Amino acid sequence: MAEIDKLNLAGTKAKGQRPYFLADKQTEQVMSITMALAMELSVARERIATLECVLEQKGVLTRDELAAFKPDADEVAKRSQETQEYLARILRIIQQDKEELMSNEPTVEEVQEKLTQGNT
Amino acid sequence: MATKTLPSWDVITKHDVFADANHDEVARLNFLTHLNVHLSANVLPGVKNAYETQVKPEFIKAQGHEPENRHQLRAAITQNHTFQMWSALRRNTMEMRQQAGRAQVLRQIEDIVAKVEHYNEGADTLKLDESIAIPENVGSVDIHCQPGCYYTEYFENDVTVAASYDLGLFVTTAGLLGALSDGGGQAVGKWLADNHPDFQPKRILDIGCTIGHNAVPLAQAFPNAEVIAVDVARPSLRYAHARAKALGVNNITFVQADAENLSQYQDESFDLITTAMFWHETSDTAMPNILKEINRLLKTGGLTLHLEQPQYQGMGVYEQFIRDWDTYYNNEPYWGPMHDLDLKDMLSKCGFNSDDLFETGVVSLVDEKIFGKREKGDAGEDYGRAPVWNAFGLWKK
Ligand SMILES: C[S@@+](CC[C@H](N)C(=O)[O-])C[C@H]1O[C@@H](n2cnc3c(N)ncnc32)[C@H](O)[C@@H]1O
């Protein structure tokens, strides 16, 4: 059998120009990435559910025990830290936009102009 | 009211050449099935609302009348944000389904090909013909956004596109086609048994069989008949043949042939000629050519029967437009034009007596493998699952 590039073949496009629907192409591409992530999250959640089933079947724990689990103070603090990091990570672009709107920073072009005294 | 739950893709019948699915692959296909249902049950009604409350009133204000046809409606609604969002999500969902199926198949393609070859080796019931070209209606774009369409081979003896097609139908139909995606063919068999119990065709031709989803139940309904199933797509035929064998069906010969020219078969040599969801993927030249061949090949007293979506005639403009979405946005260029045709007119141009044309709904039983046994006493309640297909056909007198 000839060597085939499975990774790229799996994701290859269908022949025929793709219609775009949203205001611009990038927005739609971002949506596409987001939906793929939503799918992967759903897959991960199912895997967790499976883990719970198996652990329960094997008598390691019951789901009631999981639901009733109360983290101690250290664990609560750790999770709070992690949740904040998680939110900061996924909402980074909002943070950076806010920083920019609150500052008065030059563009690279303006800096270049200054550094070359308009000789470019 | 509790939300209606959907069956898991995993209940599908895994015949011997079917792709294996691991835990995460099943989860992915289930997610996509749910996403499809969510889009049609929850998001699409918003598009209708946007049409009624925004697009239509604006159109009337500007033009003085409602959109007169789906083309006017489409021109107006493509600027609407709700329509755009739904369409972008829907298109993307199709693409995700393709990627998921292909990735799943490709990781094990060597094993699948080996199994297919095991069934196909030396068989005289698989007749491939290298000289058959891919017609324009199949080769111009990848139909329903299936990369590689039905016919692309990535290496010798490849069946990737066919194996991915087989596992994916469930995802777009949420199991309605049954555990073998063969509800249409089953419905035809049941309709014949119920309505024409004396009709016992000896020779059956199925045109555009792809991987034989609907040829197999016909062959099972008439185990003494010889079934010929034709298609132009080699990887699909290879897979179809092995799939039928794996299901224990031995009375189908799969033939690579262009249905526009079936000169290898004699006049009046078939008792029953069928297609399933086929005509909308042909063209203004292919369709009459193939119908003429059917007329030539069909015996007097024989039946030709075709499963299709309903024609647009008599349907509201909005419903037509929504049904037509696939034409433009899911690479189905002939879908709209085919559903606009006057079938009577088309049939009589091809030599049939179009007065004999009938249209009917055919129904298959709810597949218990997927939806579970029905409780006694809920005979009248099918939870919207009773799969109904539209069929048209005629008896040649
Ligand atoms: C939508 S699929 C049909 C599905 C199939 N009948 C089923 O029941 O699952 C259309 C098929 O028709 C085939 N086809 C299109 N034009 C054809 C032609 N001129 N001759 C033979 N097959 C053709 C395509 O290759 C494709 O496999």
Side-chain angles (χ1 to χ4, degrees):
Chain A
M1 196 183 104
E3 273 298 303
I4 51 170
D5 175 357
K6 294 186 174 184
L7 198 67
N8 281 305
L9 263 186
T12 198
K13 76 181 292 294
K15 178 173 164 185
Q17 281 185 34
R18 189 199 197 278
Y20 278 88
F21 303 93
L22 302 188
D24 63 61
K25 195 167 165 173
Q26 288 93 332
T27 311
E28 191 156 332
Q29 289 177 344
V30 172
M31 169 206 266
S32 187
I33 295 167
T34 311
M35 291 309 293
L37 286 173
M39 173 165 75
E40 292 310 309
L41 178 59
S42 174
V43 170
R45 288 172 64 119
E46 274 216 42
R47 194 160 259 268
I48 293 168
T50 299
L51 269 173
E52 291 178 7
C53 290
V54 175
L55 289 175
E56 192 170 53
Q57 273 166 19
K58 297 213 167 212
V60 178
L61 48 76
T62 69
R63 255 166 287 184
D64 287 347
E65 280 170 356
L66 264 186
F69 176 79
K70 292 234 183 298
D72 63 20
D74 282 352
E75 180 64 20
V76 168
K78 178 169 164 269
R79 290 186 188 187
S80 170
Q81 173 76 19
E82 281 170 2
T83 306
Q84 290 174 52
E85 283 173 14
Y86 175 71
L87 283 170
R89 202 174 295 127
I90 59 179
L91 297 178
R92 173 192 47 78
I93 191 70
I94 310 282
Q95 173 196 341
Q96 294 182 349
D97 190 44
K98 184 183 72 185
E99 287 173 4
E100 185 159 303
L101 290 170
M102 288 167 67
S103 70
N104 184 17
E105 295 165 359
T107 66
V108 170
E109 284 79 4
E110 285 163 358
V111 175
Q112 189 181 60
E113 170 101 19
K114 207 158 79 190
L115 295 181
T116 59
Q117 287 130 19
N119 285 338
T120 40
Chain B
M1 199 188 80
T3 327
K4 192 168 89 184
T5 61
L6 302 178
S8 169
W9 177 90
D10 213 27
V11 300
I12 208 163
T13 297
K14 285 136 189 151
H15 52 73
D16 197 29
V17 294
F18 202 76
D20 275 341
N22 62 33
H23 177 280
D24 289 5
E25 286 163 345
V26 174
R28 218 165 263 130
L29 295 170
N30 281 338
F31 172 81
L32 290 168
T33 305
H34 283 79
L35 181 55
N36 270 315
V37 170
H38 179 86
L39 290 180
S40 60
N42 300 316
V43 183
L44 184 56
V47 177
K48 173 111 200 251
N49 179 63
Y51 173 65
E52 295 294 343
T53 61
Q54 300 164 23
V55 178
K56 191 159 88 176
E58 276 164 33
F59 189 98
I60 293 172
K61 210 160 119 197
Q63 310 286 328
H65 58 82
E66 288 187 16
E68 283 156 350
N69 55 51
R70 65 177 195 275
H71 304 291
Q72 288 179 2
L73 198 166
R74 185 165 88 96
I77 206 170
T78 43
Q79 306 308 311
N80 180 271
H81 286 181
T82 310
F83 169 77
Q84 291 174 343
M85 202 67 182
W86 168 70
S87 296
L89 283 165
R90 185 162 179 208
R91 168 82 186 204
N92 185 66
T93 307
M94 311 267 180
E95 293 171 351
M96 284 165 73
R97 169 263 168 275
Q98 294 296 337
Q99 198 276 345
R102 291 167 66 86
Q104 183 175 333
V105 165
L106 281 163
R107 74 159 169 85
Q108 54 187 310
I109 189 62
E110 296 82 0
D111 296 342
I112 298 175
V113 166
K115 283 193 218 157
V116 167
E117 281 179 359
H118 159 75
Y119 284 106
N120 290 356
E121 203 163 10
D124 56 5
T125 40
L126 175 63
K127 296 195 158 74
L128 300 181
D129 178 353
E130 300 267 329
S131 73
I132 298 298
I134 296 301
E136 204 178 26
N137 57 299
V138 180
S140 301
V141 290
D142 284 343
I143 296 173
H144 40 65
C145 292
Q146 174 170 307
C149 202
Y150 305 105
Y151 62 86
T152 303
E153 293 162 286
Y154 299 112
F155 54 89
E156 209 185 327
N157 290 331
D158 186 22
V159 295
T160 302
V161 291
S164 174
Y165 180 68
D166 197 12
L167 70 80
L169 283 179
F170 183 101
V171 172
T172 31
T173 57
L176 213 70
L177 299 180
L180 280 167
S181 297
D182 65 352
Q186 294 224 20
V188 169
K190 187 172 172 323
W191 181 82
L192 282 171
D194 290 349
N195 295 279
H196 303 279
D198 294 336
F199 181 57
Q200 290 297 324
K202 289 197 196 63
R203 241 174 143 232
I204 301 174
L205 174 65
D206 185 53
I207 293 177
C209 64
T210 316
I211 63 168
H213 277 136
N214 294 307
V216 164
L218 261 187
Q220 286 169 324
F222 299 104
N224 297 319
E226 178 196 8
V227 181
I228 312 275
V230 300
D231 205 290
V232 288
R234 195 162 36 224
S236 295
L237 289 164
R238 254 186 223 123
Y239 183 88
H241 181 264
R243 179 181 178 278
K245 292 266 173 209
L247 292 169
V249 173
N250 295 305
N251 56 333
I252 311 180
T253 304
F254 289 92
V255 181
Q256 187 178 7
D258 186 333
E260 291 188 56
N261 174 7
L262 294 171
S263 56
Q264 66 264 51
Y265 301 111
Q266 286 175 2
D267 294 3
E268 306 230 347
S269 57
F270 290 94
D271 306 287
L272 173 61
I273 303 183
T274 58
T275 68
M277 299 307 293
F278 171 73
W279 296 112
H280 67 261
E281 293 184 9
T282 61
S283 72
D284 273 347
T285 50
M287 185 167 176
N289 285 345
I290 298 170
L291 279 169
K292 281 178 201 155
E293 276 298 72
I294 293 178
N295 191 32
R296 178 180 73 75
L297 293 168
L298 190 61
K299 280 188 197 163
T300 304
L303 170 69
T304 182
L305 190 66
H306 309 276
L307 293 183
E308 252 302 345
Q309 296 283 318
Q311 296 298 93
Y312 287 156
Q313 220 218 337
M315 242 178 228
V317 171
Y318 179 80
E319 187 181 351
Q320 284 188 32
F321 164 73
I322 289 297
R323 285 176 173 271
D324 213 44
W325 189 91
D326 290 78
T327 302
Y328 300 98
Y329 308 127
N330 196 22
N331 281 358
E332 290 273 14
Y334 197 57
W335 179 282
M338 189 267 148
H339 290 297
D340 269 340
L341 288 175
D342 181 337
L343 289 178
K344 268 195 139 171
D345 200 43
M346 171 61 94
L347 285 166
S348 62
K349 273 193 206 133
C350 299
F352 290 95
N353 181 355
S354 63
D355 290 341
D356 297 334
L357 170 70
F358 64 84
E359 293 185 57
T360 181
V362 296
V363 187
S364 84
L365 299 174
V366 173
D367 191 333
E368 290 183 346
K369 177 145 194 265
I370 292 192
F371 296 106
K373 269 213 180 329
R374 283 211 226 168
E375 298 296 313
K376 272 210 183 68
D378 80 350
E381 174 61 272
D382 61 24
Y383 305 102
R385 297 164 186 161
V388 185
W389 283 265
N390 235 56
F392 68 90
L394 54 77
W395 296 89
K396 187 169 166 184
K397 288 181 184 149

